[in-house]
Amino acid sequence: MTDPNAPRVFRLRATFIERDRLAMLSHLEVAHALERTVRRAGLPFAVSQGFSPHMKIAFGAALPVGVGSTCEIFDLQLREYVAADKALAALQQASVPDLMVQDCSYIENNAPAASVAFPFSTYEVRFDAPVSAVVVPETITVVRKRKEKTLVVSEFLTEPFTFDGDRATFTLEAKPTGSLRPDVLLQHCDCAADIVSITRIAQTA
Amino acid sequence: MVPFESIWTQVAPLVARAERPSRYINREWGCVYKPDADFRFCMIYPDTYELGQANQALRILVNAVNAQPGMAAERGFLPAPEMCDALRAAGLPMFSIESCAPLAAFDAIGITLPHELAATNVLEAIDLAGLPLRALDRAEDDPLVLGGGPCAYNPEPYAPFFDAINIGEGEQSLPEGLAVIRDMRQQGATRRDIWRALARLDGWYVPALYRWRTAEEAQAAGSWIEPAEEGVPTTIVKRLFDGFATSSGWEPCIVPFAEAVHDRLNVEILRGCARGCRFCQAGMMYRPVRERSADNVVDAVVRGLAETGYDEVSLTSLSTTDHSQIADILERLNRHYEGTGVRISIPSQRLDSFGARMADLVAGQKKGGLTFAPEAGTQRLRDVINKNVTEDDLFGAVDAAFAAGWRRCKLYFMVGVPTETDEDVKGIARLVQQVYDHAKAIVPKEQKGSIQISASVALFVPKAHTPFQWCGQIAPEEALRRVNLLRHSVKYRAVSVSWHDPKTSFVEAVMSRSGREAAALVEGAWRRGARFDAWSECFREDAWRAAADEQGIDVEAVAQTGYPTDYVLPWEHISCGADRRWLAREHDLALREETTPDCTFGRCSGCGVCMKLGTDNQLAGERHD
């Protein structure tokens, strides 16, 4: 049950790009930078109550260090309604070019969080030469929290590689039990060319 | 000449594999780019990004140079040890942040000297830039390598590595020096001619233009340096930024991506401290006291938070709660930021109930630990060091703090202060236990278990330009004995004593007390692999010891030898404005256990700074005890 006396909040969903050198930022660094962007933008963000008040902002699924994106997401709770185009303009004014907010729209207060709403991520990898095939391993063993874990690639790779010149795209599904990182998958693939960049180009439900 | 162009494409693969790429990638909010500038300066902090990015000198000086038409200033940080090695292995030089350009492509580079353990990093930076370590070995078109900062007040251990060293505050003198370099280079002047011109500017020391005397010669002549040519000054007086008080407290700053130390808005609300603690170098170096007004400070905070997006501001200075309008400032900021989640912090508080009240004004509900610095355990020794606080002041502060809700309190002390006896050391234990008793009497019964009192103990290091500059340091074994005496004297279990084994203290002593002969020691240590001496996991004691043996320098003697006050010290050609006779008198008063009052609360104590620099304390209002 929601508290009928709770102050009304407005849930703004923003998408942003993370490109070029700023693809090297960690998820935490991006989160800090965006909080500061919101403050600079002067938006009437909601603040949590209690011992250590903080901005009510939530981030989408983490992007590995070194992977860029054209479609990252954060959800921000506002105390007052600000027209989405005005909020977008204010955020853009407060953003650095390579970590730039691209779009803003309001979502329902009970809409699922950005971090779980879009389990499918499509990545584009650019190689230093044209590529028409990569050899994908059946399993990949990763180390997490000092424990080895073997991932079956086909459980995650929901859309196989498609090729276009020096570019390829593929889609990975994030599972509640874990996920396969796109850079880790590519490290384990056999390929004739070297990777220039990896970019998340879509997050879908 | 190395071309001024980005080497990012070569550096990028190394950055991608580096421990924290965000140290090297630039593109932060607030960076300034001046692609059309015809003169380029790079300001370097001789440690990694996360330590250097918050540095005040870097922020101030980059802004000051960028404010000059035609001049561009960039930042540079020493890469982390593994990255230094990776760059060398790849044949790549140290680079600036904004343009990712090789340091050697700049017209001048500046390196701040923030503390005594950065010397080998200075050499690491110069070498990684691809420049000869010593000024005399540099080519005509190499950048001028300039130094400055707190450790420039004893420049000699660094002297051969710098073309010129700025003494004092650089807001005005750095742009002046750079203008000389730019104009003379445009006219085709030689490096030596540029040195000569810099040496004639107020506040600039050009070591290569002086011969270093022997100890005997120095004592007879009253100075260790002898001009090697006509027209260079025999004393270099520090520069003062006299416009500080009226200048805006909002200084544009860069908002880092990487998690840096002091990652918040810093507003410098006052400069200088005249309390006159006799061990304190900062208290001597930054005189006179200059306060920015409450209006200036409040405007600076509001504007700074809006422009940076930070949610925390620190009101910085050597003694923030001494500001004559501090209560007004904190009350106004509290009103302005109520309910916004913005935190206001003050780096240290005055040791009395007023200090605790001010801390309470900004703490809100979240009360972590509170820190006070009585420095010595007995009134006698506090009088020696001129720490003008009494036990009643301390207990008043503690009572106020625990009544306001604090449960943790940390107290800073020194051991090895001149005249210290075992009674003084035991006095620390007694005082800390009394503090606990006070806390216990105030805290509700059910919360008594949460009281934590800790004493943090540091070893006294004699610093140049202080009344204790003639005093020796106690031997490491003696320091350990005194700390153990303190530990055994503490009977309460709720009181903890922390002490860091000062393995590096002999390096600090050598850097703060030596003459030019120590430069060869620094170079020898660096050649043996010493760097990042301030990182305990990197400190190479063996390298320093071997280099000292090679140079025939007895580092223990350098640290521990005391001198009479008529002994001429290796930094006496550098003046922070304080008269040597006053320093000697303060030294003698210390031995007589007599105190000297703070001139911002009462009458002039005659240190000589105002007279020498033609200035005065500039207070925003009247200070009250």
PDB file of all heavy atoms in Angstrom, chain B residues 574-591:
ATOM      1  N   ILE B 574      66.019  32.665   2.337  1.00  0.00           N
ATOM      2  CA  ILE B 574      64.591  32.699   1.994  1.00  0.00           C
ATOM      3  C   ILE B 574      63.872  33.337   3.179  1.00  0.00           C
ATOM      4  O   ILE B 574      64.078  32.929   4.323  1.00  0.00           O
ATOM      5  CB  ILE B 574      64.045  31.271   1.778  1.00  0.00           C
ATOM      6  CG1 ILE B 574      64.848  30.526   0.708  1.00  0.00           C
ATOM      7  CG2 ILE B 574      62.550  31.303   1.453  1.00  0.00           C
ATOM      8  CD1 ILE B 574      64.793  31.104  -0.675  1.00  0.00           C
ATOM      9  N   SER B 575      63.031  34.317   2.907  1.00  0.00           N
ATOM     10  CA  SER B 575      62.334  34.987   4.005  1.00  0.00           C
ATOM     11  C   SER B 575      60.828  34.835   3.860  1.00  0.00           C
ATOM     12  O   SER B 575      60.256  35.153   2.824  1.00  0.00           O
ATOM     13  CB  SER B 575      62.685  36.476   4.022  1.00  0.00           C
ATOM     14  OG  SER B 575      61.831  37.144   4.929  1.00  0.00           O
ATOM     15  N   CYS B 576      60.200  34.334   4.945  1.00  0.00           N
ATOM     16  CA  CYS B 576      58.732  34.283   4.943  1.00  0.00           C
ATOM     17  C   CYS B 576      58.183  35.575   5.550  1.00  0.00           C
ATOM     18  O   CYS B 576      56.993  35.694   5.788  1.00  0.00           O
ATOM     19  CB  CYS B 576      58.240  33.067   5.727  1.00  0.00           C
ATOM     20  SG  CYS B 576      58.588  33.146   7.488  1.00  0.00           S
ATOM     21  N   GLY B 577      59.071  36.510   5.813  1.00  0.00           N
ATOM     22  CA  GLY B 577      58.656  37.791   6.368  1.00  0.00           C
ATOM     23  C   GLY B 577      58.921  37.894   7.855  1.00  0.00           C
ATOM     24  O   GLY B 577      59.154  38.978   8.389  1.00  0.00           O
ATOM     25  N   ALA B 578      58.889  36.755   8.547  1.00  0.00           N
ATOM     26  CA  ALA B 578      59.125  36.775   9.993  1.00  0.00           C
ATOM     27  C   ALA B 578      60.612  37.039  10.250  1.00  0.00           C
ATOM     28  O   ALA B 578      61.478  36.413   9.645  1.00  0.00           O
ATOM     29  CB  ALA B 578      58.699  35.453  10.618  1.00  0.00           C
ATOM     30  N   ASP B 579      60.864  37.961  11.145  1.00  0.00           N
ATOM     31  CA  ASP B 579      62.219  38.387  11.456  1.00  0.00           C
ATOM     32  C   ASP B 579      62.971  37.279  12.199  1.00  0.00           C
ATOM     33  O   ASP B 579      62.410  36.647  13.099  1.00  0.00           O
ATOM     34  CB  ASP B 579      62.106  39.627  12.342  1.00  0.00           C
ATOM     35  CG  ASP B 579      63.401  40.362  12.439  1.00  0.00           C
ATOM     36  OD1 ASP B 579      64.296  39.891  13.188  1.00  0.00           O
ATOM     37  OD2 ASP B 579      63.527  41.386  11.766  1.00  0.00           O
ATOM     38  N   ARG B 580      64.226  37.041  11.839  1.00  0.00           N
ATOM     39  CA  ARG B 580      64.979  35.971  12.502  1.00  0.00           C
ATOM     40  C   ARG B 580      65.160  36.250  13.993  1.00  0.00           C
ATOM     41  O   ARG B 580      65.153  35.336  14.814  1.00  0.00           O
ATOM     42  CB  ARG B 580      66.306  35.722  11.769  1.00  0.00           C
ATOM     43  CG  ARG B 580      67.560  36.068  12.524  1.00  0.00           C
ATOM     44  CD  ARG B 580      68.817  35.815  11.755  1.00  0.00           C
ATOM     45  NE  ARG B 580      69.268  34.419  11.780  1.00  0.00           N
ATOM     46  CZ  ARG B 580      69.818  33.810  12.832  1.00  0.00           C
ATOM     47  NH1 ARG B 580      69.923  34.424  13.994  1.00  0.00           N
ATOM     48  NH2 ARG B 580      70.241  32.577  12.746  1.00  0.00           N
ATOM     49  N   ARG B 581      65.281  37.557  14.335  1.00  0.00           N
ATOM     50  CA  ARG B 581      65.432  37.878  15.764  1.00  0.00           C
ATOM     51  C   ARG B 581      64.147  37.530  16.531  1.00  0.00           C
ATOM     52  O   ARG B 581      64.176  37.118  17.669  1.00  0.00           O
ATOM     53  CB  ARG B 581      65.749  39.373  15.947  1.00  0.00           C
ATOM     54  CG  ARG B 581      67.202  39.721  15.659  1.00  0.00           C
ATOM     55  CD  ARG B 581      67.370  41.209  15.506  1.00  0.00           C
ATOM     56  NE  ARG B 581      66.457  41.699  14.469  1.00  0.00           N
ATOM     57  CZ  ARG B 581      66.419  42.951  14.023  1.00  0.00           C
ATOM     58  NH1 ARG B 581      67.212  43.873  14.537  1.00  0.00           N
ATOM     59  NH2 ARG B 581      65.581  43.310  13.076  1.00  0.00           N
ATOM     60  N   TRP B 582      63.005  37.725  15.863  1.00  0.00           N
ATOM     61  CA  TRP B 582      61.736  37.364  16.505  1.00  0.00           C
ATOM     62  C   TRP B 582      61.635  35.846  16.677  1.00  0.00           C
ATOM     63  O   TRP B 582      61.230  35.360  17.731  1.00  0.00           O
ATOM     64  CB  TRP B 582      60.561  37.889  15.673  1.00  0.00           C
ATOM     65  CG  TRP B 582      59.211  37.556  16.265  1.00  0.00           C
ATOM     66  CD1 TRP B 582      58.608  38.172  17.324  1.00  0.00           C
ATOM     67  CD2 TRP B 582      58.331  36.505  15.857  1.00  0.00           C
ATOM     68  NE1 TRP B 582      57.393  37.577  17.590  1.00  0.00           N
ATOM     69  CE2 TRP B 582      57.195  36.554  16.697  1.00  0.00           C
ATOM     70  CE3 TRP B 582      58.380  35.538  14.861  1.00  0.00           C
ATOM     71  CZ2 TRP B 582      56.122  35.668  16.577  1.00  0.00           C
ATOM     72  CZ3 TRP B 582      57.309  34.655  14.736  1.00  0.00           C
ATOM     73  CH2 TRP B 582      56.198  34.723  15.592  1.00  0.00           C
ATOM     74  N   LEU B 583      62.037  35.117  15.640  1.00  0.00           N
ATOM     75  CA  LEU B 583      62.013  33.654  15.749  1.00  0.00           C
ATOM     76  C   LEU B 583      62.920  33.199  16.891  1.00  0.00           C
ATOM     77  O   LEU B 583      62.554  32.313  17.681  1.00  0.00           O
ATOM     78  CB  LEU B 583      62.459  33.005  14.429  1.00  0.00           C
ATOM     79  CG  LEU B 583      61.499  33.153  13.238  1.00  0.00           C
ATOM     80  CD1 LEU B 583      62.146  32.595  11.967  1.00  0.00           C
ATOM     81  CD2 LEU B 583      60.176  32.451  13.505  1.00  0.00           C
ATOM     82  N   ALA B 584      64.102  33.818  16.997  1.00  0.00           N
ATOM     83  CA  ALA B 584      65.036  33.451  18.062  1.00  0.00           C
ATOM     84  C   ALA B 584      64.454  33.803  19.431  1.00  0.00           C
ATOM     85  O   ALA B 584      64.589  33.046  20.404  1.00  0.00           O
ATOM     86  CB  ALA B 584      66.374  34.157  17.845  1.00  0.00           C
ATOM     87  N   ARG B 585      63.751  34.961  19.491  1.00  0.00           N
ATOM     88  CA  ARG B 585      63.152  35.350  20.765  1.00  0.00           C
ATOM     89  C   ARG B 585      62.039  34.369  21.149  1.00  0.00           C
ATOM     90  O   ARG B 585      61.906  33.968  22.308  1.00  0.00           O
ATOM     91  CB  ARG B 585      62.582  36.776  20.651  1.00  0.00           C
ATOM     92  CG  ARG B 585      62.116  37.360  21.980  1.00  0.00           C
ATOM     93  CD  ARG B 585      61.881  38.851  21.873  1.00  0.00           C
ATOM     94  NE  ARG B 585      60.787  39.165  20.960  1.00  0.00           N
ATOM     95  CZ  ARG B 585      59.529  39.393  21.352  1.00  0.00           C
ATOM     96  NH1 ARG B 585      59.217  39.386  22.619  1.00  0.00           N
ATOM     97  NH2 ARG B 585      58.594  39.654  20.473  1.00  0.00           N
ATOM     98  N   GLU B 586      61.236  33.984  20.151  1.00  0.00           N
ATOM     99  CA  GLU B 586      60.183  32.993  20.405  1.00  0.00           C
ATOM    100  C   GLU B 586      60.782  31.670  20.895  1.00  0.00           C
ATOM    101  O   GLU B 586      60.226  31.006  21.767  1.00  0.00           O
ATOM    102  CB  GLU B 586      59.370  32.746  19.130  1.00  0.00           C
ATOM    103  CG  GLU B 586      58.348  33.825  18.840  1.00  0.00           C
ATOM    104  CD  GLU B 586      57.232  33.834  19.871  1.00  0.00           C
ATOM    105  OE1 GLU B 586      56.555  32.803  20.012  1.00  0.00           O
ATOM    106  OE2 GLU B 586      57.058  34.857  20.563  1.00  0.00           O
ATOM    107  N   HIS B 587      61.918  31.304  20.308  1.00  0.00           N
ATOM    108  CA  HIS B 587      62.626  30.088  20.730  1.00  0.00           C
ATOM    109  C   HIS B 587      63.007  30.201  22.202  1.00  0.00           C
ATOM    110  O   HIS B 587      62.790  29.282  22.996  1.00  0.00           O
ATOM    111  CB  HIS B 587      63.861  29.913  19.839  1.00  0.00           C
ATOM    112  CG  HIS B 587      64.770  28.796  20.253  1.00  0.00           C
ATOM    113  ND1 HIS B 587      65.762  28.960  21.207  1.00  0.00           N
ATOM    114  CD2 HIS B 587      64.840  27.497  19.854  1.00  0.00           C
ATOM    115  CE1 HIS B 587      66.388  27.813  21.365  1.00  0.00           C
ATOM    116  NE2 HIS B 587      65.863  26.910  20.564  1.00  0.00           N
ATOM    117  N   ASP B 588      63.551  31.374  22.581  1.00  0.00           N
ATOM    118  CA  ASP B 588      63.987  31.556  23.969  1.00  0.00           C
ATOM    119  C   ASP B 588      62.783  31.608  24.915  1.00  0.00           C
ATOM    120  O   ASP B 588      62.828  31.068  26.018  1.00  0.00           O
ATOM    121  CB  ASP B 588      64.830  32.830  24.092  1.00  0.00           C
ATOM    122  CG  ASP B 588      66.133  32.700  23.287  1.00  0.00           C
ATOM    123  OD1 ASP B 588      66.499  31.556  22.929  1.00  0.00           O
ATOM    124  OD2 ASP B 588      66.762  33.731  22.993  1.00  0.00           O
ATOM    125  N   LEU B 589      61.704  32.268  24.475  1.00  0.00           N
ATOM    126  CA  LEU B 589      60.493  32.313  25.296  1.00  0.00           C
ATOM    127  C   LEU B 589      59.963  30.900  25.529  1.00  0.00           C
ATOM    128  O   LEU B 589      59.478  30.578  26.615  1.00  0.00           O
ATOM    129  CB  LEU B 589      59.406  33.163  24.624  1.00  0.00           C
ATOM    130  CG  LEU B 589      59.617  34.685  24.635  1.00  0.00           C
ATOM    131  CD1 LEU B 589      58.554  35.374  23.777  1.00  0.00           C
ATOM    132  CD2 LEU B 589      59.573  35.240  26.064  1.00  0.00           C
ATOM    133  N   ALA B 590      60.076  30.070  24.507  1.00  0.00           N
ATOM    134  CA  ALA B 590      59.622  28.683  24.628  1.00  0.00           C
ATOM    135  C   ALA B 590      60.383  27.995  25.757  1.00  0.00           C
ATOM    136  O   ALA B 590      59.786  27.345  26.610  1.00  0.00           O
ATOM    137  CB  ALA B 590      59.827  27.940  23.313  1.00  0.00           C
ATOM    138  N   LEU B 591      61.679  28.162  25.763  1.00  0.00           N
ATOM    139  CA  LEU B 591      62.486  27.507  26.791  1.00  0.00           C
ATOM    140  C   LEU B 591      62.142  28.045  28.172  1.00  0.00           C
ATOM    141  O   LEU B 591      62.268  27.349  29.176  1.00  0.00           O
ATOM    142  CB  LEU B 591      63.970  27.698  26.497  1.00  0.00           C
ATOM    143  CG  LEU B 591      64.445  27.109  25.156  1.00  0.00           C
ATOM    144  CD1 LEU B 591      65.951  27.223  25.025  1.00  0.00           C
ATOM    145  CD2 LEU B 591      64.008  25.657  24.986  1.00  0.00           C
TER     146      LEU B 591
END
